[in-house]
Amino acid sequence: MGKKKTLAGALLAVATLTVAGCSGGGTPSAETATAPAEPHEVSGKITVLTHRTDLVQSGAMDAYAAEFKKTYPNVRVKFEGLTDYEGEVKIRMNTDDYGDVLMIPAAVAKNDYPKFFAPLGPTEELTAKYRFSDKTDVGGKVYGIAQFGTANGFVYNKSVWKKAGVTKWPTTPAEFLAGLRAIKSRTDAVPYYTNFKDGWPLVQWGGNIGSVTCDGDAGNKLAGPVSPWKQGGELNVSDTLLHDIVKGGLAEKDPNTTNWEASKGMVAKGEIGAMMLGSWSITQMRDAAEKAGAKPDDIGFMPFPAQKDGKFCATVVSDYQQAVNIHSEHKGAARAWIDWFTEKSGYSAKEGAVPTVKSAAMPDTLKDFVDNDVTFVERSESRTGQVNAIDNAAEIGLNTPDYRQKLVDIARGAQSGSLQEFFADLDKRWDEAAKTAGS
Amino acid sequence: MTETTKTAAARPPRPGTSWRRTGTASAHGTPQRRGRTLRRITPWMFLAVPLALLITFTYVPVGNMIYYSFTDWDGVSPDRNFTGVDNYSQIFTRPELFRVFFVSFYYLAASAVQIVVALYFATVLSFDLRFRNLFKGILFFPYLINGVAIGFVFLYFFQDGGTLDSVLSWFGADTDRAWLGDPTSANTSLAGVSVWRFTGLNFVLFLGAIQSIPGELYEAAQLDGASRWQQFRHIIAPSIKPVLSLSIILAVSGSLSVFEIPYIMTGGATGTSTFVIQTVKLAFQFNKTGLASAAAVVLLVIILLITWIQRRLVPDDKVDLV
């Protein structure tokens, strides 16, 4: 009898524990995470969650940690590389245990930041020093500092374009298409490679929001029933270009079997003319070129083919933002790591990315952009929270490949419908969702 | 306490003296009662661990899922609002959420092929044949490979200029074809992969059932001059009926909940999205965990319903061979 009760009790306990585990702990304090002025004062062992599994495995991250330890001798930094970063961290955030420092997953709604992360300081103060601070601003406080930023454009193979007779950057979508057609007729290269199968490279097209009209506020302007795909809109221009590339037979024949890793080598060897990507990819492409025995100098980067007042624009957007777990017991050490990693580690320069610190110089990878007077448009992200809420409610997915995959399918006739119908449908869904979501 | 019980047990009570009068021995302490209690809880003690695991990892999550399906939870936020049956009404009022079930027909057709092929080979290989075990191994092998690996292997197989194209070119066939390029050929190709993968499982189930048929029946049939087909029709088919109906139930529920092969190979692009892929996308891309949970519950109910109907139509009657 007694035993039976114990058994039932144990089962009940297991059940309650499981249920309780899902609802998180008590209310932690919202005090600002600040690094102490004296490096010796800060101590503790901190865990950093990162999506860069490659750098964790190659030991590059540990090398950064060793360097960090020279300044902060009492702090030990441990890394946890997560392959499916978004998916895993999102689930872990239902508990208190999600590292001391982490990259803010896209799934977390902006208004929920104060529930998960410790504030890093007043927005005014941090904006003066760092780029992209408005992305994580909630109620006048910043909750994340970007690892680095990235400029948007096309990675291309210079010699392929030269062989096709195109020596100057196209200034309109029509010129760009003409360039691709020249590549198709005069070389053996695939003019444009969509990376359709892996999907996320299609998301890079969204990075052009702002490039077309040189408007840093273009992203924020989507927050509302504004029909983003209407004639002349940013998304209309860039998505039409993608559609026309595929429709004109200028992309790879079987998009469903593309391969991202292989595509890097193919650009380097001149088998691909161009791909839409962020500037972060340039270093990877040059590495791939070296491995494939091709010339790294052939890898070029060109801005989106649109000009305003005779000048090109390239949006600069932030990469993952680093934040401090609100449940962390070593907030000081965590903050010290973020500050050091952003400013002193040399990480962004090594990755060839746009530095978060405003005073730092543009990287070598963007030399062509700097030399040719491309205007860098830092895209404001102050209303991204609301834009994402509308996007999710409409199930369109500006940050997921699905709708652009459908666009490519329509363009190559694998799915029925026309571009106009598709855009009209997207606009309708967006506008309807905007009425209910994020308000 | 044990001392008293022992003596009490050793010495049967004299007539007229009540048990309780002795006072020290409690009612629970009697050997019969204790034995009975022990006997009653023994099976539960054996079951404690599996039951705890079952409850923790099956019923609590399912309970949670049903609870989420009535909320607007986004999967991360600590707040969730109760929205009643809103999620369910969305699923049934938005046709595009249900349209993906049409993709299941490809897999349903493929399962029919799969069962026929598996049945054929199981029958053939149950007779004495040269290299019998080798063929059994070859047929069962695909089922042992991890689904993710299969997805990747077949991605190369169907690639433009990949294995399939080069094999076809040996026979002079036109190889200029994007197998995963349009919805019909993509779904057919994916369903083909699933046939390749699961035939082995059905085959082993059928083979096991066929081999449990006593050999004398075949001998008797042969003496009576029954052909192979007649043997199959009148001996094998009736005796494996329960396994056959189980396979059909598994095939139907499997076709409705196809996931890994299309998810890995195409990610649901080009019209290959299935109900489960759509559910996963709702939950993890659009952060609609509540709606996705409701979709999962609907799928569960549909599968339970189909199984129930099938059991009613084809009752599981006893196999009687003799």
Side-chain angles (χ1 to χ4, degrees):
Chain A
M1 190 79 171
K3 282 211 173 122
K4 202 169 183 181
K5 244 180 205 158
T6 338
L7 171 68
L11 287 179
L12 194 70
V14 169
T16 17
L17 268 180
T18 328
V19 175
C22 302
S23 50
T27 42
S29 75
E31 117 196 46
T32 308
T34 40
E38 175 57 49
H40 287 272
E41 276 172 21
V42 57
S43 65
K45 192 177 142 192
I46 57 168
T47 307
V48 178
L49 304 188
T50 175
H51 58 296
R52 293 301 299 265
T53 42
D54 54 335
L55 297 184
V56 174
Q57 268 160 20
S58 71
M61 289 313 277
D62 285 333
Y64 285 126
E67 195 63 32
F68 176 70
K69 211 173 162 87
K70 285 180 190 161
T71 324
Y72 295 89
N74 302 325
V75 181
R76 255 186 68 202
V77 186
K78 203 183 105 213
F79 298 97
E80 235 177 274
L82 303 168
T83 315
D84 174 19
Y85 186 81
E86 285 282 329
E88 286 181 44
V89 172
K90 183 182 154 182
I91 291 162
R92 272 175 78 165
M93 286 179 73
N94 283 299
T95 70
D96 294 350
D97 173 31
Y98 44 95
D100 296 286
V101 174
L102 71 157
M103 312 299 139
I104 300 179
V108 183
K110 200 172 170 181
N111 287 335
D112 284 340
Y113 286 179
K115 293 171 193 158
F116 292 110
F117 312 117
L120 302 177
T123 309
E124 277 175 43
E125 192 187 305
L126 287 166
T127 328
K129 195 171 172 192
Y130 297 125
R131 296 178 207 268
F132 323 116
S133 295
D134 61 349
K135 190 175 182 180
T136 57
D137 159 72
V138 182
K141 282 180 180 164
V142 165
Y143 289 85
I145 294 174
Q147 285 200 312
F148 51 67
T150 178
N152 237 62
F154 288 98
V155 171
Y156 70 105
N157 185 305
K158 286 180 182 169
S159 68
V160 170
W161 284 71
K162 205 178 275 170
K163 219 193 272 173
V166 186
T167 47
K168 279 183 78 181
W169 286 342
T171 57
T172 61
E175 277 184 38
F176 187 78
L177 286 168
L180 293 184
R181 274 194 289 273
I183 291 176
K184 193 181 183 184
S185 59
R186 290 185 208 167
T187 70
D188 295 331
V190 175
Y192 182 83
Y193 199 73
T194 61
N195 268 311
F196 180 93
K197 156 75 178 58
D198 290 287
W200 60 263
L202 285 171
V203 178
Q204 303 281 322
W205 281 84
N208 295 311
I209 299 171
S211 289
V212 181
T213 56
C214 281
D215 183 0
D217 225 22
N220 296 337
K221 286 181 181 163
L222 298 178
V226 291
S227 306
W229 286 271
K230 65 178 179 285
Q231 195 65 40
E234 299 259 354
L235 282 163
N236 181 299
V237 174
S238 63
D239 285 344
T240 304
L241 177 58
L242 175 62
H243 172 268
D244 292 349
I245 289 172
V246 178
K247 191 162 194 186
L250 302 169
E252 71 277 10
K253 193 177 76 196
D254 187 359
N256 259 321
T257 51
T258 60
N259 183 331
W260 160 247
E261 285 302 327
S263 76
K264 293 196 262 185
M266 287 163 77
V267 173
K269 283 184 276 184
E271 290 165 18
I272 291 175
M275 296 201 276
M276 161 60 69
L277 287 168
S279 61
W280 53 266
S281 63
I282 301 172
T283 41
Q284 291 194 27
M285 296 290 167
R286 290 190 175 154
D287 284 348
E290 256 166 46
K291 271 183 208 144
K295 279 184 291 181
D297 288 347
D298 268 353
I299 303 288
F301 198 61
M302 71 167 89
F304 189 84
Q307 285 190 320
K308 197 188 180 190
D309 306 327
K311 279 181 90 176
F312 285 108
C313 289
T315 43
V316 179
V317 291
S318 77
D319 197 79
Y320 268 122
Q321 304 261 351
Q322 315 158 89
V324 175
N325 182 350
I326 199 164
H327 304 285
S328 165
E329 281 165 21
H330 306 289
K331 291 199 180 76
R335 178 64 194 274
W337 165 259
I338 292 182
D339 285 354
W340 182 87
F341 192 64
T342 314
E343 292 173 31
K344 307 218 170 78
S345 67
Y347 176 61
S348 82
K350 202 168 177 186
E351 296 293 318
V354 178
T356 311
V357 184
K358 279 187 171 165
S359 54
M362 282 288 172
D364 288 347
T365 46
L366 288 173
K367 193 170 171 297
D368 284 357
F369 275 28
V370 176
D371 290 352
N372 288 292
D373 273 347
V374 174
T375 317
F376 290 100
V377 180
E378 195 187 312
R379 191 161 84 196
S380 163
E381 305 268 5
S382 58
R383 300 192 72 187
T384 303
Q386 205 193 338
V387 174
N388 286 346
I390 297 172
D391 186 37
N392 283 337
E395 287 166 26
I396 289 174
L398 289 181
N399 301 312
T400 67
D402 294 62
Y403 98 85
R404 286 199 180 85
Q405 283 185 330
K406 194 167 177 200
L407 180 80
V408 170
D409 276 350
I410 289 173
R412 64 200 179 89
Q415 283 195 39
S416 59
S418 72
L419 183 67
Q420 267 59 44
E421 282 165 24
F422 185 55
F423 280 170
D425 177 52
L426 290 174
D427 275 340
K428 188 170 144 255
R429 276 156 66 189
W430 186 274
D431 295 350
E432 269 168 20
K435 281 173 204 150
T436 55
S439 48
Chain B
M1 175 179 157
T2 34
E3 192 57 37
T4 345
T5 353
K6 253 185 199 159
T7 38
R11 204 161 7 98
R14 273 164 292 163
T17 36
S18 158
W19 264 91
R20 277 161 222 264
R21 284 284 232 5
T22 53
T24 36
S26 75
H28 288 285
T30 61
Q32 282 130 325
R33 286 297 285 265
R34 267 185 67 195
R36 220 183 305 149
T37 325
L38 198 66
R39 209 175 310 139
R40 214 185 301 146
I41 64 166
T42 309
W44 289 101
M45 279 159 65
F46 280 109
L47 283 173
V49 171
L51 268 184
L53 292 175
L54 183 74
I55 290 173
T56 319
F57 295 109
T58 306
Y59 293 110
V60 171
V62 168
N64 272 344
M65 182 178 79
I66 293 172
Y67 160 62
Y68 296 149
S69 74
F70 293 106
T71 66
D72 65 351
W73 194 39
D74 68 356
V76 198
S77 172
D79 322 309
R80 55 192 80 138
N81 304 314
F82 190 72
T83 55
V85 292
D86 181 55
N87 287 326
Y88 290 95
S89 67
Q90 269 199 56
I91 290 175
F92 291 108
T93 51
R94 285 171 51 189
E96 76 271 17
L97 290 182
F98 247 83
R99 199 173 297 144
V100 284
F101 271 121
F102 286 109
V103 172
S104 296
F105 286 108
Y106 286 96
Y107 293 92
L108 210 55
S111 327
V113 174
Q114 178 183 316
I115 287 175
V116 171
V117 170
L119 197 54
Y120 174 77
F121 281 111
T123 312
V124 169
L125 290 178
S126 65
F127 296 113
D128 218 4
L129 216 73
R130 205 190 293 195
F131 303 126
R132 197 158 74 129
N133 287 327
L134 176 73
F135 286 120
K136 280 185 203 166
I138 290 174
L139 277 167
F140 188 59
F141 174 66
Y143 185 67
L144 298 174
I145 309 176
N146 179 294
V148 179
I150 291 177
F152 281 118
V153 167
F154 275 91
L155 210 51
Y156 285 102
F157 182 80
F158 287 121
Q159 211 164 33
D160 181 24
T163 320
L164 184 57
D165 281 346
S166 20
V167 170
L168 286 178
S169 72
W170 295 342
F171 300 101
D174 174 27
T175 59
D176 194 34
R177 188 167 167 77
W179 293 100
L180 301 176
D182 70 278
T184 313
S185 87
N187 278 318
T188 315
S189 307
L190 294 176
V193 176
S194 111
V195 170
W196 183 84
R197 182 174 178 206
F198 289 108
T199 302
L201 177 68
N202 279 339
F203 165 75
V204 169
L205 288 176
F206 293 147
L207 194 72
I210 291 174
Q211 285 185 339
S212 70
I213 302 169
E216 305 92 69
L217 286 176
Y218 296 119
E219 278 172 37
Q222 263 168 352
L223 284 179
D224 286 343
S227 67
R228 282 279 199 237
W229 166 248
Q230 282 166 331
Q231 285 179 29
F232 174 79
R233 173 75 188 75
H234 296 287
I235 299 175
I236 296 177
S239 57
I240 62 166
K241 210 172 138 198
V243 177
L244 201 58
S245 90
L246 172 78
S247 295
I248 292 171
I249 292 176
L250 287 179
V252 172
S253 65
S255 309
L256 290 174
S257 53
V258 183
F259 175 62
E260 51 189 10
I261 287 173
Y263 192 74
I264 291 158
M265 289 182 62
T266 63
T270 323
T272 56
S273 191
T274 65
F275 196 71
V276 184
I277 291 182
Q278 178 176 277
T279 307
V280 166
K281 285 193 170 164
L282 281 177
F284 299 105
Q285 282 191 357
F286 302 114
N287 299 327
K288 292 186 173 178
T289 306
L291 183 60
S293 301
V297 172
V298 167
L299 182 64
L300 178 71
V301 170
I302 290 176
I303 286 176
L304 287 178
L305 203 67
I306 287 177
T307 313
W308 179 73
I309 293 173
Q310 210 167 354
R311 299 303 278 182
R312 292 302 295 272
L313 292 179
V314 194
D316 192 9
D317 37 36
K318 273 240 157 86
V319 178
D320 196 7
L321 281 174
V322 195

